[in-house]
Amino acid sequence: DPTGSADSTAAVQAAVDAASVNGGVVVLPAGTYRLDGVITVLASNVVLRGAGVGQTLLHFTSVGPSNVSHVAFGTGGGFGADHVLTEDGQRFSAEVRVTDATGLTVGMDVALGFIITPGFVADHGMTGVWQAFNGTWQPFYLRTITAVDTASTPHTVTLDVPLRDGMLTRDGASLRVHTGLLHEVGLEDVSISNVVTRAQAWSVTQVHAVGMDGVANGWVRNVHSYGATGGDHLQSGGILVKGSKRVTVANSIMAQAQHRGGGGNGYLFELRQSSEVLLVDNEARAGRHNFIQNWGFGTTGCVLLRCVSRDGRAFAADWDPIGLPGLSEFHHSLATANLMDGCTFDDGFNAGNRGTESTGAGHTAQENVFWNVRGSGVVRSLQYGHGYILGT
């Protein structure tokens, strides 16, 4: 129903499911579509395409629930068994050596990671600070196999992108097949809102308009938030990219989050444990942290190109009329080798040691580059090891 009168969730989801059989484009003509539920894409080669920003309007009406994306691509994928590294993985190398590469093939999606051991924590001076992921295997690099050599001993696996930092056998460094990824999925040429009442928005947490979780080669393009019922646009979050690689978010605007309190709210463009993601020509206004890397190790090789951040502000509660300045930032656990290029930060960007905040965020950043950024805000670069500010 393009008039916005009736709930169109079932009809849109049915079209998505039909396109999921062999791949296809779900075209949403000009109009307003009231969506009382969520739209979920669970197959590769599915694209949702509107008639254009301001022409196709998606109005999601449900309050949350918490930790939901109203347009959701993927469910996170999974990881196979360990292929243990026999030698330390070398920074800048595209090759790793494993005990047994049997079953690995060219084109396979893989993750390389290791256990957050007491030694790794101590190496970074984070004993007693990093806690949330201690003792668990964490995926640091999401890659694709380009060659496998099982004739040599040990076996050698070649990756499409080099490692950004070293990996130690001491920490149980290994390669795992990355299963369940969606390929070639996208959302484009729509306006989107999931605004509710302010009290309702503050009753739930981490509600995103769009989420890509376990996606390779995906995109969000020409997607703008809008005020479906007034000045606010979004319950909490805008666009989330999680556990994904080679995703592009382009020419999109996210603005006016209702819930900008603690607990992961008001993040308009958010990256989590993702590799080689490009955010280009996007604008974020009036979130808590407009552009943010969040929660977990392994955000590497990502680029913010010509992005604009304005009016970031954090609020203590829904009654808070003033709040405090909210900067874009690296938020958690050692984001590595990312680039902010030609961006404008009128509120600011923070890269540093956040200590015990946010369940032991600690050192949030290393070897990240601010290149020709500008604005009326502040850039704080207090990175672990090296960090670079050039032409700012």
Side-chain angles (χ1 to χ4, degrees), residues 63-70 194 196 198-209 235-237 240 258-267 270 272 288 294:
V63 180
S66 295
N67 303 300
V68 74
S69 296
H70 278 119
N194 59 5
V196 288
R198 185 176 174 90
Q200 288 173 327
W202 280 78
S203 72
V204 290
T205 188
Q206 297 189 32
V207 177
H208 290 84
Q235 285 183 45
S236 174
L240 168 67
Q258 294 177 295
H259 189 344
R260 286 187 260 171
N265 296 290
Y267 300 172
E270 180 177 354
R272 297 186 196 174
R288 181 183 179 91
N294 185 35

Side-chain angles (χ1 to χ4, degrees), residues 223-267:
V223 175
H224 291 197
S225 64
Y226 78 102
T229 59
D232 292 324
H233 295 189
L234 302 166
Q235 285 183 45
S236 174
I239 298 171
L240 168 67
V241 180
K242 176 184 177 185
S244 299
K245 62 185 179 184
R246 299 192 302 268
V247 169
T248 298
V249 181
N251 301 106
S252 295
I253 298 175
M254 293 286 118
Q256 297 298 134
Q258 294 177 295
H259 189 344
R260 286 187 260 171
N265 296 290
Y267 300 172

